Amino acid sequence: MQRAETPPATILTSFFAICQSDPFARTLLYSEMPRYYTWNASSKNLQRRKQGDAVPGYPDVRSTDALGRMSTVHPKNDECFYLRLLLVNVRGPTSFERRTVNGVIFPKYRAACEELNLLENDTHWDTTIPEAIISASPSQIRTLLAVIISTCFPLNPCNLSHKYKDNMSEDILHQIRVSSRNHDIEMNEEIHNRALLLIEDICYLMCGSLLIRLGMPAPNREMNDAFNRELEREREYDHQELDLVVQTNVPLLNSQQKEVYDTLMKAIDDENGGLYFLDAPGGTGKTFLMSVVLATVRARSNTAVAVASSGIAAHC
Ligand SMILES: *[C@@H]1O[C@H](CO)[C@@H](O)[C@H](O)[C@H]1NC(C)=O
Ligand SMILES: *[C@@H]1O[C@H](CO)[C@@H](O)[C@H](O)[C@H]1NC(C)=O
Ligand SMILES: *[C@@H]1O[C@H](CO)[C@@H](O)[C@H](O)[C@H]1NC(C)=O
């Protein structure tokens, strides 16, 4: 606890300290510091070099050709990345807390970098997307935006997505108009939210991050839960049609298939649950059997979700 509250000095925090007291240090970038100072690991402080070339204007300072090494930081590790960016650009930093540029303290390192014009602006993304809109489908534009925000680190992903939200949602609007048979429905927030959810799904697949971690607004998952969507689809079957499928196909099951079918149906009817493994050579009607089982369950207005793990699906 004590160690966490008063952590030992590091090379970086010692550099902050000498920048407060040493006018020469204030002229340096963190990466330049090792040319003039050495780190005393036992007393944990930085000391001016005693040997080396004289530095004009600073009689007590000696310079060598020592090179400093700074750890690299992936841009995904965002605040850490922007802190490092500041350290290689801002002379004489005095603390972690003071993300100060021209007297203004910024809430985030990123914002301070932005103010110092250290970041590329989003102009090229702002021309890329409209270019894509000319010929790409809304779903392709969503994928493009997902690629941009999860791998290209734009300055202001929020603005980009806001600007093109209509263009990325047109297919969803169309689907809703068709499924509700109402062509007067206009673009609305819920539709934008659905687009955002789809974008989040792609980002999550690509880099394992939710939108909120990528500088974007978090979509409202409750408003449109992924599982509910599956469930909704499960409720849209035409029961009469399924009944017919069951009536025609159950008599076509051979004796072994029928045995499996009866076993599964009994487990469902008795509400015992269970885990069953069906193994048989290819072409012997496993898929046919499963489709009859699914149809039977769905015909009774129950929910049957068919899923496959990729390894197994690859064998089928
Ligand atoms: C973005 O950067 C480009 C080139 O660096 C510059 O020409 C343009 O004015 C900048 N746009 C904005 C909005 O700052
Ligand atoms: C994007 O959609 C908006 C609203 O429908 C439209 O005004 C705009 O022209 C579209 N952008 C492009 C580049 O086509
Ligand atoms: C983002 O949008 C806000 C308002 O919507 C605007 O104030 C801000 O300047 C925009 N940022 C950029 C980088 O364009």
Side-chain angles (χ1 to χ4, degrees):
M1 183 73 95
Q2 198 183 7
R3 204 178 149 85
E5 271 168 18
T6 49
T10 64
I11 303 179
L12 179 57
T13 57
S14 303
F15 180 58
F16 291 154
I18 60 168
C19 284
Q20 288 172 26
S21 57
D22 178 342
F24 176 71
R26 276 202 285 277
T27 67
L28 300 178
L29 293 175
Y30 180 54
S31 49
E32 295 167 345
M33 177 273 295
R35 290 170 62 182
Y36 309 94
Y37 294 83
T38 55
W39 172 245
N40 184 327
S42 53
S43 63
K44 295 207 182 300
N45 61 13
L46 288 170
Q47 290 162 355
R48 279 192 183 163
R49 291 188 181 273
K50 303 207 166 50
Q51 279 156 10
D53 304 331
V55 176
Y58 294 92
D60 299 332
V61 179
R62 291 274 175 279
S63 139
T64 67
D65 55 4
L67 282 178
R69 284 167 298 176
M70 277 177 82
S71 323
T72 54
V73 180
H74 193 270
K76 214 175 133 184
N77 190 357
D78 50 4
E79 278 299 273
C80 203
F81 175 82
Y82 296 114
L83 168 63
R84 187 184 188 282
L85 193 59
L86 288 175
L87 286 175
V88 296
N89 282 284
V90 176
R91 291 180 185 276
T94 52
S95 75
F96 285 120
E97 287 75 33
R98 298 187 54 211
R99 294 164 286 257
T100 312
V101 180
N102 304 330
V104 181
I105 299 181
F106 285 85
K108 296 213 159 187
Y109 295 115
R110 180 182 176 137
C113 290
E114 211 176 313
E115 181 66 19
L116 287 170
N117 284 328
L118 297 179
L119 306 182
E120 209 173 34
N121 67 28
D122 290 342
T123 309
H124 52 308
W125 303 127
D126 210 10
T127 50
T128 302
I129 298 178
E131 212 170 272
I133 288 172
I134 296 170
S135 60
S137 69
S139 132
Q140 289 171 318
I141 301 160
R142 288 194 294 271
T143 306
L144 175 66
L145 183 82
V147 170
I148 292 173
I149 60 183
S150 54
T151 63
C152 307
F153 311 101
L155 193 56
N156 202 324
C158 226
N159 284 22
L160 276 184
S161 114
H162 185 75
K163 200 160 167 186
Y164 302 107
K165 61 182 178 181
D166 284 352
N167 317 86
M168 297 186 296
S169 311
E170 281 165 2
D171 56 336
I172 303 171
L173 174 64
H174 178 70
Q175 278 160 18
I176 291 181
R177 283 179 176 169
V178 169
S179 67
S180 64
R181 296 190 180 85
N182 176 359
H183 283 259
D184 299 329
I185 295 176
E186 292 292 333
M187 197 59 95
N188 59 41
E189 214 170 285
E190 199 194 325
I191 295 176
H192 292 147
N193 185 58
R194 283 203 201 179
L196 215 51
L197 280 168
L198 294 170
I199 293 168
E200 182 164 78
D201 291 344
I202 305 171
C203 291
Y204 196 74
L205 272 179
M206 282 194 303
C207 70
S209 293
L210 294 176
L211 287 184
I212 193 104
R213 294 279 303 120
L214 296 166
M216 292 271 294
N220 187 347
R221 283 262 163 200
E222 274 153 8
M223 203 153 110
N224 194 320
D225 192 77
F227 183 69
N228 283 345
R229 227 180 310 154
E230 298 287 308
L231 210 56
E232 243 170 60
R233 200 184 60 200
E234 286 301 318
R235 292 193 178 124
E236 281 170 3
Y237 292 108
D238 180 338
H239 298 158
Q240 283 174 344
E241 200 177 303
L242 283 176
D243 267 334
L244 196 65
V245 169
V246 174
Q247 280 165 26
T248 32
N249 286 332
V250 170
L252 299 178
L253 296 172
N254 66 28
S255 65
Q256 283 177 310
Q257 288 171 326
K258 187 72 169 55
E259 191 185 329
V260 175
Y261 178 83
D262 289 340
T263 307
L264 293 178
M265 285 306 140
K266 184 163 173 10
I268 294 168
D269 290 339
D270 296 350
E271 295 187 3
N272 284 334
L275 192 61
Y276 294 84
F277 184 75
L278 173 62
D279 186 27
T284 52
K286 294 188 294 297
T287 306
F288 174 65
L289 170 59
M290 290 330 294
S291 66
V292 179
V293 170
L294 289 171
T296 310
V297 174
R298 287 167 179 161
R300 300 177 188 173
S301 302
N302 287 328
T303 303
V305 181
V307 293
S309 82
S310 54
I312 292 173
H315 273 88
C316 291

